[in-house]
Amino acid sequence: MYKLSDYISRGSIMLNNMLFPRHKKLASVMLYATDRCNSRCRHCYIWEKKSKDYISAEQIKKLLNSRSICKNTSIGLEGGEFMLHPQAEAIMEYLYRHHPKFDLLSNGVHTEKLISLVRKYTPARVYISLDGKPETHDYMRRVKGLYPKVIRVIEELKDTAPLSVMFTLTPFNTFEDLRHVASVCRMNRVDMRIGIYNNMEYFQTKEQASEDVSSLNYRIEDIPSVVKEFDENYDFMMLYHLYRNHEVKLSCNSIKDNIVIYPNGDVPLCQNKQIILGNINNESLDAIMAKESTLTYHRNFHQCNECWINFHRKYDIVLYRNLEKVLPRRVICKLLGDYSWSNNPAEKYKDLICKYHKSIITKDENVH
């Protein structure tokens, strides 16, 4: 799904931001363009919000003229459900013509509209959510008959744009559901992206779900071996177990070049903390990224290790594991800060992976 050029581009942006912190370039801008939603997910309660804000097409056009956004900046369109944005088509058309490196995330409820717009204004990538077998997915999303709609989206769009199926492991589904989604991806020859449920204030997670998150503390040997067939998923899940045991320590490098913008215009430090750097309705994105308070937050939270959100942590995993191929540990620590993959600080990523690869229970992964 991701090419070598993507990582080289991200590396050059990171280097620019280290050398010129007041003139940052952004690798990714995830627009929570609307908080309107047409599913009633058990692991997200954004649909209960009374205020229904959205980022207008004009605001997005203005954002794209920011100095911090370059041609390699990936723009993400999300919600809520982006298909419910009152200017969804206008935004996609503008991006298609002026900034084609944009991604679209959807739950697939508005099947016809989604298929039509993707074919007319093809994104760089499409992400469609699927959380398990038919009964599990519909139970989690609380939308009757949603599963076949998602399957149709996958079948209709898999040859139109690079497509990833997004599976989120939550207290409400199981590894059997993960195996099922993997089999769907195998059959359709599409990518699978795995996320792990995390309590984020923006999504207004309910207390019950927050309490049940402890159930995700699975054993590494229980991770389905099929996960290894899809890049950047197995190590993310394996390291989550070690992270929950307070063994993994990685600096947070994505907060400087990976940002989200909420429907009301707020720009938080990251997806996990409700520290607001500024609001695009009151000041420019460039001003928000360059002001002293933002630089101070970036310095103070560079060593933060308080979440395992894939929007941030997957980049850190890729960064550290690739640096270990070319640099000694002492140099990496000097550049990015101290880190560890396990309770043995000297253990390298490749050694850790080899050790746990051998411990995985190999099973028949085919689900019919």
Side-chain angles (χ1 to χ4, degrees):
M1 174 57 72
Y2 294 99
K3 302 175 183 177
L4 177 61
S5 59
D6 294 322
Y7 295 119
I8 293 174
S9 173
R10 186 68 183 268
S12 66
I13 289 174
M14 178 182 175
L15 181 61
N16 173 85
N17 294 348
M18 291 175 67
L19 297 174
F20 309 106
R22 290 189 182 275
H23 302 281
K24 290 187 178 70
K25 298 295 181 183
L26 295 171
S28 176
V29 178
M30 180 61 68
L31 300 175
Y32 287 107
T34 176
D35 50 21
R36 301 176 182 182
C37 196
N38 48 13
S39 64
R40 302 170 72 248
C41 299
R42 297 179 186 276
H43 56 300
C44 167
Y45 280 74
I46 192 173
W47 50 270
E48 275 195 342
K49 284 189 175 183
K50 290 185 171 58
S51 64
K52 299 300 179 184
D53 296 316
Y54 64 88
I55 305 172
S56 71
E58 287 304 313
Q59 288 173 306
I60 292 173
K61 291 176 185 179
K62 184 178 178 181
L63 280 174
L64 292 177
N65 289 321
S66 304
R67 293 189 304 275
S68 54
I69 291 180
C70 58
K71 67 176 183 178
N72 291 322
T73 303
S74 178
I75 305 295
L77 301 177
E78 193 176 355
E81 169 55 36
F82 181 75
M83 288 296 106
L84 293 178
H85 193 294
Q87 299 172 303
E89 181 165 3
I91 292 169
M92 288 184 66
E93 180 180 11
Y94 186 83
L95 288 170
Y96 179 71
R97 299 187 187 285
H98 300 281
H99 194 95
K101 191 168 184 180
F102 73 98
D103 302 334
L104 176 64
L105 294 80
S106 178
N107 59 23
V109 173
H110 275 358
T111 312
E112 300 299 335
K113 183 176 182 179
L114 174 61
I115 292 172
S116 174
L117 290 184
V118 168
R119 285 177 172 166
K120 285 176 70 176
Y121 314 111
T122 308
R125 295 187 179 94
V126 175
Y127 297 88
I128 184 75
S129 297
L130 184 61
D131 295 316
K133 295 176 285 186
E135 59 276 15
T136 303
H137 187 67
D138 288 5
Y139 170 79
M140 280 185 59
R141 300 277 164 168
R142 287 195 274 210
V143 178
K144 188 175 181 180
L146 179 55
Y147 179 90
K149 290 185 175 183
V150 172
I151 297 300
R152 182 169 171 235
V153 170
I154 295 170
E155 293 173 346
E156 292 276 352
L157 295 181
K158 64 183 179 182
D159 297 322
T160 302
L163 188 146
S164 289
V165 174
M166 295 289 295
F167 174 90
T168 302
L169 185 65
T170 76
F172 308 107
N173 56 5
T174 67
F175 280 150
E176 281 304 311
D177 291 300
L178 172 54
R179 292 186 181 95
H180 175 79
V181 173
S183 71
V184 170
C185 294
R186 273 174 164 177
M187 184 171 60
N188 288 281
R189 298 183 179 180
V190 297
D191 178 51
M192 179 173 68
R193 302 274 103 186
I194 298 175
I196 298 175
Y197 172 86
N198 196 87
N199 300 326
M200 290 189 282
E201 185 175 323
Y202 171 71
F203 294 110
Q204 299 194 343
T205 308
K206 289 291 184 181
E207 183 179 351
Q208 181 60 44
S210 301
E211 293 173 354
D212 288 345
V213 75
S214 60
S215 66
L216 298 179
N217 199 14
Y218 48 77
R219 299 179 305 166
I220 291 176
E221 57 266 31
D222 291 335
I223 300 173
S225 59
V226 70
V227 170
K228 291 185 287 184
E229 297 180 17
F230 301 90
D231 291 341
E232 298 178 13
N233 288 312
Y234 172 68
D235 54 358
F236 182 71
M237 296 188 71
M238 178 201 75
L239 291 168
Y240 174 76
H241 172 84
L242 299 176
Y243 169 78
R244 287 290 299 268
N245 290 341
H246 309 289
E247 297 181 45
V248 174
K249 177 184 177 183
L250 301 175
S251 61
C252 188
N253 299 280
S254 66
I255 55 174
K256 297 178 182 179
D257 63 15
N258 249 25
I259 68 165
V260 302
I261 303 178
Y262 294 150
N264 67 355
D266 281 346
V267 180
L269 173 68
C270 68
Q271 288 193 342
N272 189 54
K273 294 183 178 297
Q274 292 306 301
I275 296 174
I276 304 302
L277 304 178
N279 187 293
I280 61 169
N281 295 316
N282 304 324
E283 53 191 328
S284 71
L285 181 60
D286 291 329
I288 292 171
M289 298 306 298
K291 62 186 180 182
E292 187 59 40
S293 58
T294 297
L295 301 181
T296 300
Y297 281 128
H298 286 167
R299 287 192 296 269
N300 290 345
F301 287 94
H302 176 66
Q303 291 296 324
C304 182
N305 192 49
E306 295 180 14
C307 82
W308 203 252
I309 298 172
N310 57 346
F311 184 74
H312 298 291
R313 297 272 83 176
K314 283 193 175 183
Y315 173 61
D316 296 322
I317 294 170
V318 171
L319 178 63
Y320 275 102
R321 80 183 188 194
N322 285 335
L323 285 177
E324 279 193 339
K325 295 176 183 178
V326 294
L327 296 174
R329 176 184 171 82
R330 67 179 183 279
V331 176
I332 300 173
C333 289
K334 189 172 182 63
L335 287 173
L336 301 178
D338 195 21
Y339 73 99
S340 62
W341 297 109
S342 67
N343 54 13
N344 175 11
E347 189 165 33
K348 290 188 173 183
Y349 170 86
K350 66 176 183 179
D351 299 325
L352 184 74
I353 285 290
C354 287
K355 178 172 68 178
Y356 283 112
H357 264 225
K358 295 175 183 178
S359 73
I360 281 200
I361 299 173
T362 302
K363 299 178 181 179
D364 178 12
E365 303 294 336
N366 294 318
V367 179
H368 300 283

